[in-house]
């Protein structure tokens, strides 16, 4: 048999009759297109009914999280580093120095470049080596795989798709598995997904009923089945598939597979002795690996400004080189050459012009700071650790410190102008307490665990025993959920697997209810308090006791909650074989489907609960006949086994069955505000940050929470854009509100929008809607879907002023807006960790925003903005002297600085103090920043990197270069000797004096910018000055060999200079003269800005008052503080009028 091979994929066929493999060239040697779905044969065994099958080739289970290999590290890393403009620029300069006769040795450009590239490469190489080491540890982990009818232990990386894998308790799943069976006869297991999404609570997963009986190796060897599923996708919470179980006699049946049947790599088996699963995704195709690759790139305003400044400096360099080249040829054509300069042998050509241009470029290329990128990388990396080290952002209740998922956006925390926040779990605790309910038009209230009837006269009447309708209502709450039952620690019962159903509790006190929804947990706990105790699921039956009488309901179907339907349902069969559908959800998604019941009364009660700030749900049921259920079951099975458009088909089937309800009542649960939410919102508002609340709750509940949180205040005028269905009506309403705002501009306005109206306006009226929103001090968006939250964020982010936006949330429905915002913040709450995983920064409480923005963001921004300005400034002060010198050297390319100075100026003489400054500087105290949030306004809109600041910094650098060069020129003028012996000083002495002055000036300039003189900052200056003299003196005394340098220009020059008292006096005078403007500006700034801010903060601290009451956002302290806050608008205007002083705080 001939086997054809090519470099493209081939198809291999396996024949059971011949027992051989053969291959042929597929599609004329064209690469095979990947199908939308994959078929996996369990145990890699085809069904016995087929003679020939085509086994697909999948990647192995090798984990590769590393970026480089031994062979591609050097080229790949160099390619990535030279994509940066500055690195590529210096590479070009170094190549030019090697190709032409340049005035400066190539070492001055190549060695700093090699140093920067090497430091970055070593850092990235070490990080990748750690990844390689971790990969090897994972890949070599032992795994148990079924080979025939026996279990064989192999390395994890050798697992193949289709293998049956055995995982034992407390072991991680080595790949993505479809669960086949477990030690539990019910086919369930418990896992923790902390490595995937950070959730530490146990989750229940299960196999399909038809495979749970295969609990032994021989049974699994006899299993003939195939799994059809979608190709790998990164979504952790989505899986569409089906399992085909074949029979020996032919035929078989199909069962749907969903996320609850899949065990993902990275999760761990808990409280279950063992499970068996079939590998469906391996290696880099597992969901965990796919998620490690997808991260939206975000760039800070500082980085963008820095790149712009870099381009400006390159243009300035280009202009200077063109100018000097032109002046050189003008000078040589106009004036005769000096007697000691040999004449050019031939006429100038274009090549001569280009060489001279490149020579000037080499001479002046140090205007671009080569070490800027590496310094910023180190500063950001270490700075991000401060976030987690802040003990005042550590939450003891959850044992959660703050966390920075990125170091690229540290300074962006100091630039936020709009904050978009979720409500439930972000502003509130997301800890639900059952408070009130409406049953058949009658209201009930729970106080202290006791149920009361609210009579018409307002007097509560205690309920000693549940009536029939009340009992039915609570029975539905006790059955319509997906709550799992665990035993509390110390209950005296050791139940394997955490199942409580093997031993019942009479009171439910020994049970610990676990639920993905806090509402469901509150309902089950409330039922337990009123004598209806839920015991869990056993033998596919939900078990509850009512008046100590056990009742069992077989679970036929569970229709899970989703944000689109806004409801969830279960279909149960009672012991009397009655089939009933129980449903609960948002009243807007249920009441319109009610056929029997007092809808108007229920809606009235729901509105009353919403005004109180309570979360509401409607509770309904529907009795089903066997015929109705069979029809529904067939359609549901068809939809659940579909591999294409499964979600849409399920929605249609759910919509078919979830109608014609009988209304039982409505619930009201309380979700308390988190600690210090009003104070936080008020502080953010004073800082100039507009807070928008985006929630899925109904309008009344959201408005009430906004008032209690201080988001809305009594004096604010509320504008509503709700229940709008036509774009023209929306347009007229918006125009009316705009005229109203223009007529009374001093009034504060807040806007309320609902999801229905937003869907009408977001496409056609986005522009005028955005203008209206920007004129309001606060906006509340209710009944928002996740995608609408992201649309609102994007609308503001893309507005003409391009403000910096931040979004904060705690649930999966907040992920879209968190990823859309410039800065995404996750709350480590009770709704899982999807938001935390998708965020840039995460912490446990909403109140920590004050420290994140007002302290960390403020410090981060001021430090890095000063660092960027300083790097450009110090190079202007240094290399511009070389530009001046060309006018005194007949526009020749003669350098005024010795090669050592050019080599070490950026990477040694001036690098350490600014790095330490970027890590430890605190220009204002934390108390000042917290007590005066208005100071935050001074740094937003990237003010410290504005063109005005940029020009001011570099103007000071130009002034200092003028003082340094011409002051030294006056010192050396007319060949005056500075020694009694009559020694004269040459060009290298001239350059040494300038370098000494420049190193002193630029470092002292940084000292003038420093307000917090900590030990590391003082040491950095001491090490820099000591290192400067040590390096130069050593270099000065050594006679270097010819292979190291052409001429020892500095031999004994520097020590001779240091022995001259006149030179030291001149250096002192030059430094004072150059720094005189900076000293004056520092005195002015401290007198008019820093001292008043510190004094006011100190006075507030001494009075020990908080600027805002924690209960409702209204000032309740003494009259002085009240007066202070009432005049906050005036104070802000005063601060803005002082913004011109910021221009001197460079």
């Amino acid at each position: 048999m001939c086997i054809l091979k090519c470099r493209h994929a081939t198809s291999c066929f396996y024949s059971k009759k011949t027992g051989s493999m053969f291959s042929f060239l597929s599609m004329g040697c064209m690469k095979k297109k990947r199908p939308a779905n994959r078929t996996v044969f369990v145990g890699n065994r085809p069904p016995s009914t087929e003679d020939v099958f085509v086994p697909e080739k999948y990647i192995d289970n090798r984990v590769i999280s590393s970026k480089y290999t031994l062979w591609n590290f050097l080229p790949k890393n160099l390619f990535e580093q030279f994509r940066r403009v500055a690195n590529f620029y210096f590479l070009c300069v170094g190549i030019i120095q090697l190709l032409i006769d340049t005035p400066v040795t190539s070492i001055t450009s190549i060695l700093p470049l090699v140093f920067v590239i090497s430091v970055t490469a070593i850092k990235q190489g070490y990080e990748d080596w750690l990844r390689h080491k971790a990969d090897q540890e994972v890949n070599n982990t032992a795994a148990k795989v079924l080979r025939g009818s026996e279990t064989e232990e192999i390395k994890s990386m050798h697992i193949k798709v289709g293998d049956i894998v055995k995982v034992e308790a407390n072991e991680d799943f080595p790949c993505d598995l479809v669960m086949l069976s477990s030690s539990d006869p019910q086919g369930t297991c418990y896992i923790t997904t902390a490595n995937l999404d950070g959730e530490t609570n146990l989750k229940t997963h299960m196999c399909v009923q038809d495979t749970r009986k295969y609990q032994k190796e021989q049974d699994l060897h006899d299993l003939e089945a195939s799994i059809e599923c979608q190709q790998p996708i990164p979504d952790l919470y989505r899986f569409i598939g089906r399992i085909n179980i074949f029979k020996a006699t032919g035929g078989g049946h199909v069962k749907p597979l969903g996320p609850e049947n899949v065990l993902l790599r990275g999760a761990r088996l808990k409280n279950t002795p063992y499970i068996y699963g079939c590998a469906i995704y391996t290696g880099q195709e597992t969901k965990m690996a796919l998620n490690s690759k997808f991260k939206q790139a975000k760039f800070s305003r500082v980085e963008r400004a820095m790149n712009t400044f870099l381009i400006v400096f390159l243009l300035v360099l280009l202009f200077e080189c063109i100018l000097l080249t032109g002046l050189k040829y003008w000078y040589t054509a106009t004036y005769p050459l000096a007697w000691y300069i040999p004449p050019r042998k031939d006429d100038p050509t274009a090549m001569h012009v280009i060489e001279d241009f490149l020579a000037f470029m080499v001479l002046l290329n140090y205007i671009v700071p080569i070490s800027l990128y590496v310094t910023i990388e180190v500063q950001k990396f270490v700075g991000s650790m401060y976030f987690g080290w802040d003990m005042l952002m550590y939450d003891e209740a959850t044992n959660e410190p703050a966390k920075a998922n990125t170091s690229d956006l540290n300074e962006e925390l100091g630039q936020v102008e709009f904050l978009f926040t979720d409500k439930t779990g972000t502003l509130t605790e997301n800890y639900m307490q059952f408070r009130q309910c409406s049953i058949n038009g009658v209201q009930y209230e729970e106080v202290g665990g006791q149920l009361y009837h609210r009579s018409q006269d307002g007097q509560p009447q205690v309920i000693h025993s549940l009536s029939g309708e009340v009992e039915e209502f609570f029975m539905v709450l006790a059955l319509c959920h997906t709550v799992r039952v665990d035993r509390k620690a110390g209950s005296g019962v050791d139940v394997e697997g955490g199942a409580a159903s093997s031993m019942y509790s009479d009171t439910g006190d020994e049970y610990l209810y676990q639920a993905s929804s806090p509402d469901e947990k509150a309902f089950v706990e409330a039922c337990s308090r009123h004598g209806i105790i839920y015991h869990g699921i056993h033998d596919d039956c939900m078990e509850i006791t009512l008046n100590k009488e056990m009742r069992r309901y077989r679970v036929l179907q569970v229709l899970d909650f989703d944000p689109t339907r806004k409801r969830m349902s279960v279909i149960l069969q009672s012991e009397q074989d009655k089939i009933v559908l129980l449903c609960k959800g948002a009243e807007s998604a249920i009441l319109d489907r009610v056929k029997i019941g007092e809808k108007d009364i229920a809606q009235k009660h729901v509105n009353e609960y919403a005004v109180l700030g309570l979360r509401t749900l409607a509770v309904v049921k529907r009795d089903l006949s066997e015929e109705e259920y069979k029809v529904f079951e067939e359609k549901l099975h068809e939809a659940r086994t579909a591999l294409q458009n499964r979600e849409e088909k399920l929605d249609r089937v759910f919509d078919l069955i979830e109608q014609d309800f009988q209304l039982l009542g409505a619930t009201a649960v309380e979700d308390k505000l988190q600690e210090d939410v009003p104070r936080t919102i008020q502080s953010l508002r004073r800082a100039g940050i507009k807070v928008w609340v985006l929630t899925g709750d109904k309008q009344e509940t959201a408005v009430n929470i906004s008032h209690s949180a201080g988001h809305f205040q009594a004096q604010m005028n509320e504008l509503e854009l709700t229940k709008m269905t036509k774009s023209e009506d929306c347009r007229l309403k918006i125009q009316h509100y705009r005229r109203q705002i223009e007529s009374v501009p001093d009034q504060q306005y807040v806007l309320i929008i609902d999801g229905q109206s937003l869907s009408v306006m977001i496409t056609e009226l986005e522009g005028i809607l955005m203008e209206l929103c920007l004129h309001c001090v606060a906006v509340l968006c209710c009944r928002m879907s996740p995608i609408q939250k992201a649309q609102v964020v994007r609308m503001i982010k893309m507005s003409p002023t391009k403000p910096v936006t931040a979004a904060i949330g705690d649930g999966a429905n907040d992920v879209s807006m968190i990823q859309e915002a410039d800065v995404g913040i996750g709350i480590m709450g009770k709704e899982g960790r999807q938001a935390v995983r998708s965020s840039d920064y995460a912490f446990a409480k909403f109140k920590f925003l004050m420290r994140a923005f007002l302290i960390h963001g403020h410090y981060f921004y001021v430090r890095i903005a000063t660092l960027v300005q300083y790097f450009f400034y110090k190079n202007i002060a240094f290399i511009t002297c070389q530009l001046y010198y060309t006018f005194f050297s007949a526009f020749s390319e003669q350098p005024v600085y010795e090669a050592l100075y050019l080599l070490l100026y950026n990477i040694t003489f001036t690098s350490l103090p600014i790095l330490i400054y970027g890590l430890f500087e605190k220009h204002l105290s934390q108390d000042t920043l917290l007590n005066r949030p208005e100071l935050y306004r001074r740094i937003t809109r990237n003010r410290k990197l504005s063109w005005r600041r940029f020009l001011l910094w570099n103007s000071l650098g130009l002034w200092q270069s003028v003082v340094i060069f011409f002051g030294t020129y006056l010192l050396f003028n007319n060949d005056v000797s500075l020694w009694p012996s009559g020694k004269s000083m040459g060009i290298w002495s001239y350059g040494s004096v300038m370098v000494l002055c420049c190193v002193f000036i630029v470092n002292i300039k940084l000292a003038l910018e420093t307000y917090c003189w900590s030990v590391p900052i003082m040491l950095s200056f001491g090490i820099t000055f000591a290192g400067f003299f040590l390096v130069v003196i050593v270099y000065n005394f050594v006679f270097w060999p010819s292979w190291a340098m052409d001429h020892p220009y500095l031999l004994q020059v520097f020590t001779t200079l240091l022995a001259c008292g006149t030179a030291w006096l001149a250096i002192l005078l030059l430094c004072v003269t150059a720094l005189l403007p900076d000293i004056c500006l520092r005195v002015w700034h401290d007198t008019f800005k820093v001292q008043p801010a510190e004094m006011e903060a100190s006075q507030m601290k001494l009075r020990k008052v908080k600027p805002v009451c924690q209960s409702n956002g209204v000032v309740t302290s003494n009259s002085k503080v009240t007066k202070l806050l009432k005049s906050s608008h005036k104070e802000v205007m005063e601060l803005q009028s002082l913004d011109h002083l910021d221009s001197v705080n460079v």
Side-chain angles (χ1 to χ4, degrees), residues 155 314 806 1125:
K155 291 183 178 180
L314 290 175
L1125 290 186

Side-chain angles (χ1 to χ4, degrees), residues 380-394 400-407 409-410 413 823-826 828 839-844 848-857 860 863:
K380 285 189 172 185
F381 176 74
V382 178
S384 65
M385 296 181 181
Y386 291 168
F387 211 70
W389 291 342
D390 189 347
M391 293 306 297
L392 294 179
M393 294 179 68
Y394 167 77
E400 295 281 7
K403 178 182 179 183
N405 294 326
T406 180
S407 61
L409 302 173
N410 297 341
L413 292 170
V823 181
I825 302 172
M828 301 168 182
S839 66
D840 304 305
Y841 301 91
F843 37 76
F848 294 151
L849 276 175
M850 284 194 294
R851 294 191 63 83
F853 289 166
L854 304 184
I855 294 180
H856 289 284
F860 284 147
R863 290 166 181 168

Side-chain angles (χ1 to χ4, degrees), residues 430-445:
N430 202 16
Y431 178 74
M432 309 300 177
Q433 285 286 337
F434 181 83
R435 292 302 183 201
Q436 298 187 43
C437 62
S438 171
I439 303 174
N440 197 22
V442 179
Q443 291 182 292
Y444 298 85
E445 184 174 1

Side-chain angles (χ1 to χ4, degrees), residues 81-82 107 109-121 370:
Q81 292 204 57
F82 285 122
I107 294 178
S109 293
I110 294 177
L111 197 59
L113 178 63
V114 170
F115 172 78
V116 171
I117 295 295
S118 299
V119 169
T120 305
I370 187 172

Side-chain angles (χ1 to χ4, degrees), residues 308-509:
T308 303
F309 295 160
L310 189 61
I311 293 173
V312 169
F313 269 68
L314 290 175
L315 293 176
V316 169
L317 174 63
L318 181 65
F319 171 75
E320 291 177 349
C321 295
I322 294 174
L323 176 65
L324 293 178
T325 303
L327 289 175
K328 176 180 180 178
Y329 283 92
W330 167 80
Y331 186 85
T332 56
T334 305
Y335 299 96
L337 295 175
W339 61 268
Y340 51 82
I341 299 178
R344 189 185 293 272
K345 296 180 179 180
D346 50 358
D347 295 330
T349 63
M351 184 58 65
H352 292 146
V353 175
I354 294 175
E355 286 184 359
D356 288 330
F357 172 82
L358 295 177
F360 280 119
M361 178 175 286
V362 169
L363 192 64
L364 301 175
N365 80 87
Y366 305 96
I367 193 174
V368 179
I370 187 172
S371 57
L372 174 61
Y373 282 118
V374 68
T375 305
I376 287 180
E377 277 189 3
V378 174
Q379 191 265 354
K380 285 189 172 185
F381 176 74
V382 178
S384 65
M385 296 181 181
Y386 291 168
F387 211 70
W389 291 342
D390 189 347
M391 293 306 297
L392 294 179
M393 294 179 68
Y394 167 77
D395 183 58
E396 294 184 0
T398 59
N399 192 28
E400 295 281 7
K403 178 182 179 183
N405 294 326
T406 180
S407 61
D408 296 333
L409 302 173
N410 297 341
E411 63 275 13
E412 207 78 337
L413 292 170
Q415 296 294 293
V416 175
E417 297 172 75
F418 285 84
L419 174 68
F420 301 90
T421 174
D422 180 38
K423 181 184 73 67
T424 304
T426 305
L427 298 179
T428 62
E429 292 281 1
N430 202 16
Y431 178 74
M432 309 300 177
Q433 285 286 337
F434 181 83
R435 292 302 183 201
Q436 298 187 43
C437 62
S438 171
I439 303 174
N440 197 22
V442 179
Q443 291 182 292
Y444 298 85
E445 184 174 1
E446 186 183 74
V447 179
Q450 180 64 52
L451 193 64
Y452 290 86
H453 170 233
R454 291 175 57 184
S455 59
Q456 295 182 352
D457 58 4
Q459 294 298 323
Q461 299 176 2
V462 64
I463 303 297
H464 297 288
S465 61
L466 303 182
S467 62
E469 57 188 21
V470 176
E471 180 182 295
E472 182 182 25
F473 179 83
F474 280 100
M475 284 281 288
V476 173
L477 294 183
L479 292 170
C480 186
H481 56 74
T482 57
V483 174
R484 183 169 61 85
V485 182
D486 287 343
R487 285 275 179 175
K488 292 181 179 178
S491 62
V493 180
D494 184 14
V495 182
E496 185 66 42
S501 56
S502 60
M503 186 171 183
Y504 303 111
S505 169
D506 293 334
T507 62
D509 294 337

Side-chain angles (χ1 to χ4, degrees), residues 116-188:
V116 171
I117 295 295
S118 299
V119 169
T120 305
I122 291 171
K123 169 181 171 290
Q124 294 178 351
Y126 175 71
E127 292 174 348
D128 204 60
W129 176 77
L130 293 178
R131 287 191 287 266
H132 272 283
K133 188 176 179 182
D135 290 346
Q136 289 299 321
E137 183 178 347
V138 173
N139 291 330
N140 293 323
T141 302
K144 298 180 179 64
V145 176
L146 207 63
R147 296 286 188 247
S149 59
E150 295 183 355
T151 301
E152 179 182 333
E153 192 170 281
I154 63 172
K155 291 183 178 180
S156 173
M157 61 182 175
H158 295 148
I159 295 176
K160 298 180 297 183
V161 171
D163 283 346
I164 298 177
V165 182
K166 182 179 182 181
V167 181
E168 297 181 345
N170 298 315
E171 290 182 352
D172 292 338
F173 299 110
C175 57
D176 291 353
L177 306 168
V178 166
M179 185 176 170
L180 298 176
S181 63
S182 76
S183 58
D184 181 13
Q186 303 299 315
T188 62

Side-chain angles (χ1 to χ4, degrees), residues 480 523 561 565-568 583-591 616-620 665-667:
C480 186
F523 293 150
F561 175 86
R565 287 166 46 242
K566 298 181 180 179
R567 56 184 180 269
M568 73 86 60
C583 180
K584 68 177 188 303
E587 75 285 348
S588 60
I590 285 184
L591 292 183
T616 58
L617 291 175
V619 180
V620 295
T667 62

